[in-house]
Amino acid sequence: MDPSPAYPLPDRAHRERIAANLARVRARMAAAASRAGRDPAAITLVAVTKTRPFGDVLAALEAGQQDFGENRVEELWEKVHQAEAQGLQQAIRWHLIGTIQSRKSRLAVGPFALIHSVDRPKIARRLDRDARNQGKSLDVLIEVNVSGETTKHGFSPEALMATVPELLALDHLRYRGLMTMAPLVEDPEEARPVFRRLRELLLDLRERFPPERYPQAQWEHLSMGMTNDFEVAIEEGATLVRIGTAIFGPRS
Ligand SMILES: *Cc1c(COP(=O)(O)O)cnc(C)c1O
């Protein structure tokens, strides 16, 4: 079989813009970490490429980016296949960050580093079943709707604590931590209490469901912070930030 033709790289000005944006975001992340007395190496930047062409992934890769996130599982698979066709699969860690429809749960079992969006018991059960059927285990985060907005997905903090025992019984899922989306606010300071609360919930889970007793409970990660609020999220303990606009520009 002929090798796939090389995917066309974006033009040079576009690549340079993405590289410069990435450098700026990384510098802002490091500054926020240092304000909080944290090691910047403990925070992973997930570049969110939803709606972007694969060329944007290539441009970011060229600038040293390794972790990429998509919110729709079909679009994630498209990009995975494009990466495979270019022989780049080993260079990328893929993250699924958006809500998963139950009937598409099978698609979420793939070469993905982390699923950030286990947002209801039913999807946890489906993912567990599909992972088992494929002889795999999945690394997941539980999504929490801290702000209680009805437009947001995720467990309420109360439902989370009540449901975790049931989730921990699903032994093809490894629970690596929590994820949240803060409300869209003018001033990122207004999102701070949401991030702080997510961190408190993680600490609470560590105490109540310690890994020594629950082997698939790991509770290491806080996936929180996007273009508008990632610095505040880092000050409050984020270990994964999910950033699209600040790297690739506004989505149409
Ligand atoms: C789109 C998206 C992001 C990135 O948003 P930006 O504001 O563009 O940085 C982060 N997380 C999720 C779940 C998303 O869907």
Side-chain angles (χ1 to χ4, degrees), residues 44-47 61 64-70 76 80 88-96 111-114 240:
T44 299
L45 169 59
V46 178
L61 260 178
Q65 180 61 28
Q66 281 191 302
D67 289 83
F68 290 87
E70 285 287 334
L76 178 54
V80 165
L88 292 169
Q89 189 45 31
Q90 298 305 321
I92 301 179
R93 282 188 297 264
W94 295 106
H95 299 249
L96 179 56
F112 313 139
L114 188 62
L240 293 150

PDB file of all heavy atoms in Angstrom, residues 44-47 61 64-70 76 80 88-96 111-114 240:
ATOM      1  N   THR A  44      -0.513  20.078  32.964  1.00  0.00           N
ATOM      2  CA  THR A  44      -0.498  19.707  31.552  1.00  0.00           C
ATOM      3  C   THR A  44      -1.447  20.587  30.754  1.00  0.00           C
ATOM      4  O   THR A  44      -2.600  20.757  31.139  1.00  0.00           O
ATOM      5  CB  THR A  44      -0.919  18.226  31.398  1.00  0.00           C
ATOM      6  OG1 THR A  44       0.031  17.416  32.100  1.00  0.00           O
ATOM      7  CG2 THR A  44      -0.952  17.803  29.931  1.00  0.00           C
ATOM      8  N   LEU A  45      -0.936  21.108  29.667  1.00  0.00           N
ATOM      9  CA  LEU A  45      -1.769  21.886  28.748  1.00  0.00           C
ATOM     10  C   LEU A  45      -2.387  20.941  27.716  1.00  0.00           C
ATOM     11  O   LEU A  45      -1.677  20.273  26.964  1.00  0.00           O
ATOM     12  CB  LEU A  45      -0.895  22.934  28.042  1.00  0.00           C
ATOM     13  CG  LEU A  45      -1.521  23.677  26.857  1.00  0.00           C
ATOM     14  CD1 LEU A  45      -2.786  24.426  27.254  1.00  0.00           C
ATOM     15  CD2 LEU A  45      -0.497  24.635  26.239  1.00  0.00           C
ATOM     16  N   VAL A  46      -3.707  20.902  27.700  1.00  0.00           N
ATOM     17  CA  VAL A  46      -4.419  20.152  26.662  1.00  0.00           C
ATOM     18  C   VAL A  46      -4.887  21.157  25.616  1.00  0.00           C
ATOM     19  O   VAL A  46      -5.693  22.042  25.920  1.00  0.00           O
ATOM     20  CB  VAL A  46      -5.620  19.381  27.257  1.00  0.00           C
ATOM     21  CG1 VAL A  46      -6.385  18.640  26.156  1.00  0.00           C
ATOM     22  CG2 VAL A  46      -5.164  18.415  28.344  1.00  0.00           C
ATOM     23  N   ALA A  47      -4.352  21.057  24.417  1.00  0.00           N
ATOM     24  CA  ALA A  47      -4.735  21.984  23.343  1.00  0.00           C
ATOM     25  C   ALA A  47      -6.032  21.487  22.715  1.00  0.00           C
ATOM     26  O   ALA A  47      -6.097  20.373  22.196  1.00  0.00           O
ATOM     27  CB  ALA A  47      -3.627  22.052  22.294  1.00  0.00           C
ATOM     28  N   LEU A  61       1.909  20.572  17.174  1.00  0.00           N
ATOM     29  CA  LEU A  61       2.915  19.515  17.397  1.00  0.00           C
ATOM     30  C   LEU A  61       4.314  20.021  17.103  1.00  0.00           C
ATOM     31  O   LEU A  61       5.255  19.784  17.862  1.00  0.00           O
ATOM     32  CB  LEU A  61       2.646  18.349  16.438  1.00  0.00           C
ATOM     33  CG  LEU A  61       1.918  17.109  16.897  1.00  0.00           C
ATOM     34  CD1 LEU A  61       1.760  16.179  15.703  1.00  0.00           C
ATOM     35  CD2 LEU A  61       2.658  16.408  18.021  1.00  0.00           C
ATOM     36  N   GLY A  64       5.905  21.738  19.761  1.00  0.00           N
ATOM     37  CA  GLY A  64       6.198  20.995  20.987  1.00  0.00           C
ATOM     38  C   GLY A  64       4.992  20.555  21.799  1.00  0.00           C
ATOM     39  O   GLY A  64       5.138  19.996  22.882  1.00  0.00           O
ATOM     40  N   GLN A  65       3.784  20.796  21.278  1.00  0.00           N
ATOM     41  CA  GLN A  65       2.580  20.401  22.015  1.00  0.00           C
ATOM     42  C   GLN A  65       2.325  18.898  21.867  1.00  0.00           C
ATOM     43  O   GLN A  65       2.479  18.367  20.765  1.00  0.00           O
ATOM     44  CB  GLN A  65       1.383  21.215  21.498  1.00  0.00           C
ATOM     45  CG  GLN A  65       0.073  20.926  22.166  1.00  0.00           C
ATOM     46  CD  GLN A  65       0.089  21.224  23.664  1.00  0.00           C
ATOM     47  OE1 GLN A  65       0.837  22.074  24.137  1.00  0.00           O
ATOM     48  NE2 GLN A  65      -0.715  20.504  24.414  1.00  0.00           N
ATOM     49  N   GLN A  66       1.952  18.225  22.971  1.00  0.00           N
ATOM     50  CA  GLN A  66       1.746  16.769  22.921  1.00  0.00           C
ATOM     51  C   GLN A  66       0.333  16.323  23.233  1.00  0.00           C
ATOM     52  O   GLN A  66      -0.116  15.275  22.765  1.00  0.00           O
ATOM     53  CB  GLN A  66       2.641  16.093  23.966  1.00  0.00           C
ATOM     54  CG  GLN A  66       4.077  15.943  23.548  1.00  0.00           C
ATOM     55  CD  GLN A  66       4.785  15.041  24.526  1.00  0.00           C
ATOM     56  OE1 GLN A  66       4.818  15.322  25.720  1.00  0.00           O
ATOM     57  NE2 GLN A  66       5.332  13.954  24.021  1.00  0.00           N
ATOM     58  N   ASP A  67      -0.366  17.074  24.084  1.00  0.00           N
ATOM     59  CA  ASP A  67      -1.703  16.676  24.522  1.00  0.00           C
ATOM     60  C   ASP A  67      -2.751  17.466  23.758  1.00  0.00           C
ATOM     61  O   ASP A  67      -2.693  18.704  23.717  1.00  0.00           O
ATOM     62  CB  ASP A  67      -1.878  16.918  26.032  1.00  0.00           C
ATOM     63  CG  ASP A  67      -1.055  15.926  26.846  1.00  0.00           C
ATOM     64  OD1 ASP A  67       0.152  16.183  27.020  1.00  0.00           O
ATOM     65  OD2 ASP A  67      -1.620  14.894  27.275  1.00  0.00           O
ATOM     66  N   PHE A  68      -3.725  16.749  23.179  1.00  0.00           N
ATOM     67  CA  PHE A  68      -4.765  17.389  22.376  1.00  0.00           C
ATOM     68  C   PHE A  68      -6.132  16.906  22.838  1.00  0.00           C
ATOM     69  O   PHE A  68      -6.304  15.723  23.156  1.00  0.00           O
ATOM     70  CB  PHE A  68      -4.571  17.066  20.893  1.00  0.00           C
ATOM     71  CG  PHE A  68      -3.348  17.738  20.307  1.00  0.00           C
ATOM     72  CD1 PHE A  68      -2.106  17.126  20.384  1.00  0.00           C
ATOM     73  CD2 PHE A  68      -3.446  18.988  19.713  1.00  0.00           C
ATOM     74  CE1 PHE A  68      -0.971  17.750  19.865  1.00  0.00           C
ATOM     75  CE2 PHE A  68      -2.318  19.623  19.192  1.00  0.00           C
ATOM     76  CZ  PHE A  68      -1.078  18.996  19.268  1.00  0.00           C
ATOM     77  N   GLY A  69      -7.106  17.820  22.834  1.00  0.00           N
ATOM     78  CA  GLY A  69      -8.447  17.472  23.294  1.00  0.00           C
ATOM     79  C   GLY A  69      -9.510  17.787  22.261  1.00  0.00           C
ATOM     80  O   GLY A  69      -9.407  18.767  21.521  1.00  0.00           O
ATOM     81  N   GLU A  70     -10.518  16.916  22.218  1.00  0.00           N
ATOM     82  CA  GLU A  70     -11.683  17.117  21.350  1.00  0.00           C
ATOM     83  C   GLU A  70     -12.922  16.893  22.193  1.00  0.00           C
ATOM     84  O   GLU A  70     -12.918  16.037  23.076  1.00  0.00           O
ATOM     85  CB  GLU A  70     -11.674  16.086  20.206  1.00  0.00           C
ATOM     86  CG  GLU A  70     -10.662  16.369  19.127  1.00  0.00           C
ATOM     87  CD  GLU A  70     -11.049  17.539  18.234  1.00  0.00           C
ATOM     88  OE1 GLU A  70     -12.262  17.821  18.103  1.00  0.00           O
ATOM     89  OE2 GLU A  70     -10.142  18.172  17.673  1.00  0.00           O
ATOM     90  N   LEU A  76     -12.857  13.379  17.320  1.00  0.00           N
ATOM     91  CA  LEU A  76     -11.622  12.856  17.907  1.00  0.00           C
ATOM     92  C   LEU A  76     -11.085  11.702  17.047  1.00  0.00           C
ATOM     93  O   LEU A  76      -9.899  11.670  16.704  1.00  0.00           O
ATOM     94  CB  LEU A  76     -11.890  12.395  19.344  1.00  0.00           C
ATOM     95  CG  LEU A  76     -10.715  11.779  20.104  1.00  0.00           C
ATOM     96  CD1 LEU A  76      -9.513  12.704  20.103  1.00  0.00           C
ATOM     97  CD2 LEU A  76     -11.126  11.471  21.544  1.00  0.00           C
ATOM     98  N   VAL A  80      -7.579  11.215  15.109  1.00  0.00           N
ATOM     99  CA  VAL A  80      -6.720  10.060  15.397  1.00  0.00           C
ATOM    100  C   VAL A  80      -6.329   9.367  14.091  1.00  0.00           C
ATOM    101  O   VAL A  80      -5.163   9.027  13.871  1.00  0.00           O
ATOM    102  CB  VAL A  80      -7.444   9.070  16.348  1.00  0.00           C
ATOM    103  CG1 VAL A  80      -6.746   7.709  16.371  1.00  0.00           C
ATOM    104  CG2 VAL A  80      -7.528   9.641  17.754  1.00  0.00           C
ATOM    105  N   LEU A  88       1.969   9.674  13.103  1.00  0.00           N
ATOM    106  CA  LEU A  88       2.204  10.544  14.260  1.00  0.00           C
ATOM    107  C   LEU A  88       1.525  10.064  15.528  1.00  0.00           C
ATOM    108  O   LEU A  88       1.544  10.752  16.544  1.00  0.00           O
ATOM    109  CB  LEU A  88       1.699  11.960  13.949  1.00  0.00           C
ATOM    110  CG  LEU A  88       2.497  12.704  12.877  1.00  0.00           C
ATOM    111  CD1 LEU A  88       1.763  13.975  12.465  1.00  0.00           C
ATOM    112  CD2 LEU A  88       3.889  13.028  13.407  1.00  0.00           C
ATOM    113  N   GLN A  89       0.928   8.881  15.488  1.00  0.00           N
ATOM    114  CA  GLN A  89       0.121   8.445  16.615  1.00  0.00           C
ATOM    115  C   GLN A  89       0.912   8.434  17.925  1.00  0.00           C
ATOM    116  O   GLN A  89       0.406   8.810  18.963  1.00  0.00           O
ATOM    117  CB  GLN A  89      -0.489   7.075  16.310  1.00  0.00           C
ATOM    118  CG  GLN A  89      -1.510   6.595  17.306  1.00  0.00           C
ATOM    119  CD  GLN A  89      -2.536   7.659  17.718  1.00  0.00           C
ATOM    120  OE1 GLN A  89      -2.884   8.536  16.942  1.00  0.00           O
ATOM    121  NE2 GLN A  89      -2.973   7.596  18.967  1.00  0.00           N
ATOM    122  N   GLN A  90       2.170   8.030  17.847  1.00  0.00           N
ATOM    123  CA  GLN A  90       2.969   7.947  19.088  1.00  0.00           C
ATOM    124  C   GLN A  90       3.292   9.317  19.667  1.00  0.00           C
ATOM    125  O   GLN A  90       3.634   9.432  20.831  1.00  0.00           O
ATOM    126  CB  GLN A  90       4.296   7.208  18.808  1.00  0.00           C
ATOM    127  CG  GLN A  90       4.129   5.776  18.342  1.00  0.00           C
ATOM    128  CD  GLN A  90       3.307   4.943  19.308  1.00  0.00           C
ATOM    129  OE1 GLN A  90       3.434   5.078  20.527  1.00  0.00           O
ATOM    130  NE2 GLN A  90       2.422   4.111  18.774  1.00  0.00           N
ATOM    131  N   ALA A  91       3.205  10.344  18.838  1.00  0.00           N
ATOM    132  CA  ALA A  91       3.629  11.682  19.287  1.00  0.00           C
ATOM    133  C   ALA A  91       2.539  12.414  20.049  1.00  0.00           C
ATOM    134  O   ALA A  91       2.788  13.453  20.644  1.00  0.00           O
ATOM    135  CB  ALA A  91       4.058  12.510  18.076  1.00  0.00           C
ATOM    136  N   ILE A  92       1.326  11.869  20.037  1.00  0.00           N
ATOM    137  CA  ILE A  92       0.179  12.620  20.556  1.00  0.00           C
ATOM    138  C   ILE A  92      -0.528  11.856  21.661  1.00  0.00           C
ATOM    139  O   ILE A  92      -0.721  10.647  21.557  1.00  0.00           O
ATOM    140  CB  ILE A  92      -0.831  12.897  19.405  1.00  0.00           C
ATOM    141  CG1 ILE A  92      -0.157  13.699  18.302  1.00  0.00           C
ATOM    142  CG2 ILE A  92      -2.075  13.607  19.940  1.00  0.00           C
ATOM    143  CD1 ILE A  92      -1.076  14.003  17.117  1.00  0.00           C
ATOM    144  N   ARG A  93      -0.915  12.559  22.704  1.00  0.00           N
ATOM    145  CA  ARG A  93      -1.855  12.007  23.699  1.00  0.00           C
ATOM    146  C   ARG A  93      -3.211  12.675  23.485  1.00  0.00           C
ATOM    147  O   ARG A  93      -3.324  13.898  23.550  1.00  0.00           O
ATOM    148  CB  ARG A  93      -1.354  12.289  25.124  1.00  0.00           C
ATOM    149  CG  ARG A  93      -0.232  11.358  25.578  1.00  0.00           C
ATOM    150  CD  ARG A  93       0.064  11.558  27.050  1.00  0.00           C
ATOM    151  NE  ARG A  93       0.537  12.909  27.293  1.00  0.00           N
ATOM    152  CZ  ARG A  93       1.821  13.248  27.364  1.00  0.00           C
ATOM    153  NH1 ARG A  93       2.753  12.326  27.236  1.00  0.00           N
ATOM    154  NH2 ARG A  93       2.170  14.498  27.570  1.00  0.00           N
ATOM    155  N   TRP A  94      -4.216  11.852  23.234  1.00  0.00           N
ATOM    156  CA  TRP A  94      -5.555  12.379  22.932  1.00  0.00           C
ATOM    157  C   TRP A  94      -6.442  12.378  24.167  1.00  0.00           C
ATOM    158  O   TRP A  94      -6.452  11.404  24.922  1.00  0.00           O
ATOM    159  CB  TRP A  94      -6.233  11.520  21.857  1.00  0.00           C
ATOM    160  CG  TRP A  94      -5.561  11.540  20.520  1.00  0.00           C
ATOM    161  CD1 TRP A  94      -4.821  10.534  19.972  1.00  0.00           C
ATOM    162  CD2 TRP A  94      -5.571  12.608  19.565  1.00  0.00           C
ATOM    163  NE1 TRP A  94      -4.372  10.921  18.728  1.00  0.00           N
ATOM    164  CE2 TRP A  94      -4.817  12.189  18.454  1.00  0.00           C
ATOM    165  CE3 TRP A  94      -6.152  13.882  19.546  1.00  0.00           C
ATOM    166  CZ2 TRP A  94      -4.625  12.990  17.330  1.00  0.00           C
ATOM    167  CZ3 TRP A  94      -5.956  14.685  18.425  1.00  0.00           C
ATOM    168  CH2 TRP A  94      -5.202  14.238  17.340  1.00  0.00           C
ATOM    169  N   HIS A  95      -7.220  13.437  24.314  1.00  0.00           N
ATOM    170  CA  HIS A  95      -8.159  13.563  25.431  1.00  0.00           C
ATOM    171  C   HIS A  95      -9.566  13.769  24.888  1.00  0.00           C
ATOM    172  O   HIS A  95      -9.776  14.613  24.015  1.00  0.00           O
ATOM    173  CB  HIS A  95      -7.806  14.782  26.300  1.00  0.00           C
ATOM    174  CG  HIS A  95      -6.437  14.712  26.922  1.00  0.00           C
ATOM    175  ND1 HIS A  95      -6.257  14.558  28.277  1.00  0.00           N
ATOM    176  CD2 HIS A  95      -5.191  14.782  26.375  1.00  0.00           C
ATOM    177  CE1 HIS A  95      -4.953  14.528  28.541  1.00  0.00           C
ATOM    178  NE2 HIS A  95      -4.280  14.669  27.405  1.00  0.00           N
ATOM    179  N   LEU A  96     -10.509  13.023  25.433  1.00  0.00           N
ATOM    180  CA  LEU A  96     -11.919  13.248  25.109  1.00  0.00           C
ATOM    181  C   LEU A  96     -12.497  14.104  26.223  1.00  0.00           C
ATOM    182  O   LEU A  96     -12.522  13.681  27.381  1.00  0.00           O
ATOM    183  CB  LEU A  96     -12.647  11.912  24.987  1.00  0.00           C
ATOM    184  CG  LEU A  96     -14.140  11.976  24.671  1.00  0.00           C
ATOM    185  CD1 LEU A  96     -14.420  12.773  23.398  1.00  0.00           C
ATOM    186  CD2 LEU A  96     -14.722  10.570  24.548  1.00  0.00           C
ATOM    187  N   PRO A 111      -7.702   4.755  21.446  1.00  0.00           N
ATOM    188  CA  PRO A 111      -6.336   5.062  21.876  1.00  0.00           C
ATOM    189  C   PRO A 111      -6.265   6.444  22.534  1.00  0.00           C
ATOM    190  O   PRO A 111      -5.545   7.334  22.069  1.00  0.00           O
ATOM    191  CB  PRO A 111      -5.554   5.017  20.557  1.00  0.00           C
ATOM    192  CG  PRO A 111      -6.558   5.425  19.528  1.00  0.00           C
ATOM    193  CD  PRO A 111      -7.898   4.954  20.014  1.00  0.00           C
ATOM    194  N   PHE A 112      -7.031   6.616  23.595  1.00  0.00           N
ATOM    195  CA  PHE A 112      -7.123   7.926  24.240  1.00  0.00           C
ATOM    196  C   PHE A 112      -6.465   7.874  25.614  1.00  0.00           C
ATOM    197  O   PHE A 112      -6.630   6.904  26.348  1.00  0.00           O
ATOM    198  CB  PHE A 112      -8.591   8.350  24.389  1.00  0.00           C
ATOM    199  CG  PHE A 112      -9.406   8.165  23.132  1.00  0.00           C
ATOM    200  CD1 PHE A 112     -10.700   7.680  23.191  1.00  0.00           C
ATOM    201  CD2 PHE A 112      -8.857   8.462  21.888  1.00  0.00           C
ATOM    202  CE1 PHE A 112     -11.449   7.495  22.032  1.00  0.00           C
ATOM    203  CE2 PHE A 112      -9.599   8.282  20.723  1.00  0.00           C
ATOM    204  CZ  PHE A 112     -10.899   7.792  20.792  1.00  0.00           C
ATOM    205  N   ALA A 113      -5.766   8.933  25.952  1.00  0.00           N
ATOM    206  CA  ALA A 113      -5.067   8.955  27.236  1.00  0.00           C
ATOM    207  C   ALA A 113      -6.047   9.106  28.387  1.00  0.00           C
ATOM    208  O   ALA A 113      -5.868   8.495  29.452  1.00  0.00           O
ATOM    209  CB  ALA A 113      -4.054  10.102  27.258  1.00  0.00           C
ATOM    210  N   LEU A 114      -7.088   9.915  28.178  1.00  0.00           N
ATOM    211  CA  LEU A 114      -7.961  10.248  29.300  1.00  0.00           C
ATOM    212  C   LEU A 114      -9.313  10.731  28.784  1.00  0.00           C
ATOM    213  O   LEU A 114      -9.371  11.531  27.845  1.00  0.00           O
ATOM    214  CB  LEU A 114      -7.294  11.361  30.127  1.00  0.00           C
ATOM    215  CG  LEU A 114      -7.903  11.760  31.463  1.00  0.00           C
ATOM    216  CD1 LEU A 114      -7.903  10.585  32.445  1.00  0.00           C
ATOM    217  CD2 LEU A 114      -7.123  12.929  32.069  1.00  0.00           C
ATOM    218  N   LEU A 240      -4.636  19.844  34.866  1.00  0.00           N
ATOM    219  CA  LEU A 240      -4.874  19.817  33.423  1.00  0.00           C
ATOM    220  C   LEU A 240      -5.685  21.059  33.078  1.00  0.00           C
ATOM    221  O   LEU A 240      -6.730  21.302  33.701  1.00  0.00           O
ATOM    222  CB  LEU A 240      -5.699  18.576  33.049  1.00  0.00           C
ATOM    223  CG  LEU A 240      -5.033  17.209  33.220  1.00  0.00           C
ATOM    224  CD1 LEU A 240      -6.093  16.143  33.532  1.00  0.00           C
ATOM    225  CD2 LEU A 240      -4.273  16.827  31.958  1.00  0.00           C
TER     226      LEU A 240
END
